[in-house]
Amino acid sequence: RRLRKRIVAINVITASLILFCALIVTFVVGYGRIDIEREARMNLALNFDTQQDEIRFEEEKIFDDVVLAVYDARTHQVEWFFGGNANLTREELSRYVRPIVGDVRREGWVNISVRYVKAVEGSKGKIAFNNLGASSGNLVVFAVSVLGALTLGIIVYFLFSLFLARIALRPVEDSWKKQKQFVADASHELKTPLSVILANTDILASHKEETVESQMKWVENTRAEAVRMAELVNQLLFLAKNDDGLKVQMQDVNFSNCVEGIVLGYDAVFYEKQHKFSYEVTPDMWVVGNEGQLKQLVTILLDNANKYSKGEGNITLRLQNNGKHSEF
């Protein structure tokens, strides 16, 4: 889960930065188009027929944020103002006109929110003013749209990235679970041969006067458990080197011999715990399986019986035929 969260966080942060940069570029380009469109409307205002009245100018929607001032090019006196929707008073416009008329530049800024474009035709001069404050609504709508698109894009990408991270990490998660389960099982199984070895050595230690030959049963059991421990360790090393886990090899196995070999090793364990233990094994029962894992199965069952039996216990093991199957 921590790995999934890290992957999702990295993806979302990276995508957010990319989207943010892309939308900033989009905003700049979009604002540039708005600015070009604003200048075009100002030039249209300069070409407006000044013989028409002010009402006609104000009815033109493209001039909602534009004011047209008409002045005498010789006296620099303002004759008319067209447009009252730009939130600019006549006093403000009268104050703006004189420095603009004396300026050689065709266009410029009166202040940070008022822009102008002028033209002179014969004795008449015209100045188109645009108040950005009056048209800021469009800019606000555009900015909100950009931020909304950014937020929505991040949310959608987050959900999509979370979904993809789950799919991408599923094999890793499955492999991790299998390894944890195998390590837990192997640790459990390693305890059993150790218990058998310790029990056998305790029996040998309690019969010091006996010869080695008379105690070969316990010595052989100890050796068999040591071999089984070595097999488990080899399996752990194999798992560490292979991502696909253990590959089970199936073959014909004499299940009776497997069970008898494990049972003989457990005599010492049950004897030490003072548990009553009996077994009945039908000879020469063959099954298709993995010999090592079948032995592990028998070992786990006997180990649980030894661990969870109370008092003297009454532990019985049977291996018999049941039609085409082996019943254990």
Side-chain angles (χ1 to χ4, degrees):
R1 283 193 291 267
R2 288 196 298 268
L3 179 60
R4 186 185 301 122
K5 289 178 181 178
R6 289 178 182 177
I7 292 176
V8 172
I10 291 172
N11 287 341
V12 171
I13 291 173
T14 303
S16 299
L17 291 175
I18 294 173
L19 286 175
F20 182 76
C21 293
L23 290 177
I24 287 296
V25 172
T26 302
F27 180 82
V28 171
V29 172
Y31 183 78
R33 291 181 178 178
I34 292 175
D35 193 53
I36 293 173
E37 182 266 341
R38 181 186 297 117
E39 185 174 354
R41 290 188 292 108
M42 294 172 67
N43 287 319
L44 285 176
L46 291 177
N47 295 325
F48 184 77
D49 186 1
T50 56
Q51 299 300 320
Q52 301 188 43
D53 56 17
E54 181 178 353
I55 297 178
R56 177 63 184 276
F57 185 87
E58 293 183 354
E59 287 178 350
E60 296 288 343
K61 296 297 183 182
I62 61 174
F63 300 141
D64 282 347
D65 57 351
V66 177
V67 175
L68 179 62
V70 181
Y71 65 95
D72 191 315
R74 292 167 297 181
T75 63
H76 296 175
Q77 296 295 320
V78 177
E79 298 179 355
W80 301 285
F81 286 115
F82 293 92
N85 299 324
N87 298 329
L88 292 173
T89 64
R90 288 180 176 270
E91 290 76 13
E92 290 175 324
L93 292 170
S94 298
R95 195 166 59 247
Y96 296 155
V97 167
R98 185 166 295 277
I100 291 174
V101 170
D103 196 339
V104 296
R105 293 177 298 176
R106 180 179 179 275
E107 60 182 45
W109 296 84
V110 176
N111 52 45
I112 59 174
S113 61
V114 179
R115 184 179 178 182
Y116 73 88
V117 176
K118 70 177 180 178
V120 178
E121 295 179 2
S123 62
K124 297 294 183 182
K126 298 178 182 178
I127 303 175
F129 293 94
N130 174 249
N131 185 7
L132 272 65
S135 60
S136 61
N138 295 331
L139 187 60
V140 171
V141 171
F142 181 70
V144 170
S145 300
V146 170
L147 292 177
L150 175 63
T151 304
L152 181 61
I154 292 174
I155 293 174
V156 171
Y157 187 79
F158 169 76
L159 297 175
F160 189 64
S161 180
L162 187 64
F163 173 73
L164 290 181
R166 289 181 181 274
I167 295 176
L169 293 178
R170 191 169 297 161
V172 179
E173 186 177 2
D174 292 341
S175 176
W176 176 253
K177 288 180 179 179
K178 289 178 181 178
Q179 290 192 27
K180 286 183 65 178
Q181 184 63 41
F182 181 81
V183 170
D185 293 343
S187 300
H188 178 268
E189 293 173 17
L190 284 172
K191 293 179 182 178
T192 301
L194 286 173
S195 300
V196 173
I197 291 172
L198 290 173
N200 289 334
T201 54
D202 288 341
I203 292 174
L204 291 172
S206 63
H207 298 82
K208 297 178 181 179
E209 69 283 357
E210 300 291 338
T211 64
V212 174
E213 184 178 358
S214 64
Q215 301 296 314
M216 281 303 295
K217 174 183 177 180
W218 312 117
V219 174
E220 290 295 335
N221 289 343
T222 301
R223 184 178 181 282
E225 293 302 323
V227 171
R228 193 159 67 85
M229 285 183 63
E231 291 177 355
L232 288 172
V233 173
N234 288 333
Q235 289 178 0
L236 284 172
L237 293 175
F238 182 83
L239 179 64
K241 295 177 181 179
N242 294 273
D243 294 334
D244 295 335
L246 297 174
K247 297 180 180 179
V248 179
Q249 294 182 351
M250 308 295 284
Q251 59 186 0
D252 291 333
V253 178
N254 191 324
F255 195 25
S256 300
N257 290 343
C258 292
V259 174
E260 287 179 347
I262 300 298
V263 167
L264 291 175
Y266 261 85
D267 276 344
V269 177
F270 289 122
Y271 176 81
E272 185 182 25
K273 291 287 186 178
Q274 298 181 349
H275 291 326
K276 292 181 178 181
F277 175 62
S278 61
Y279 61 92
E280 299 176 9
V281 178
T282 302
D284 295 328
M285 291 187 60
W286 291 81
V287 297
V288 177
N290 180 271
E291 184 176 356
Q293 292 191 348
L294 287 172
K295 289 181 178 179
Q296 291 175 16
L297 171 64
V298 177
T299 301
I300 291 172
L301 293 174
L302 291 176
D303 182 62
N304 288 336
N306 180 57
K307 184 182 297 183
Y308 298 109
S309 294
K310 298 180 179 179
E312 292 184 353
N314 188 16
I315 303 169
T316 303
L317 181 149
R318 291 188 182 90
L319 176 63
Q320 58 191 11
N321 282 318
N322 185 3
K324 294 182 179 180
H325 304 282
S326 299
E327 188 174 78
F328 180 75

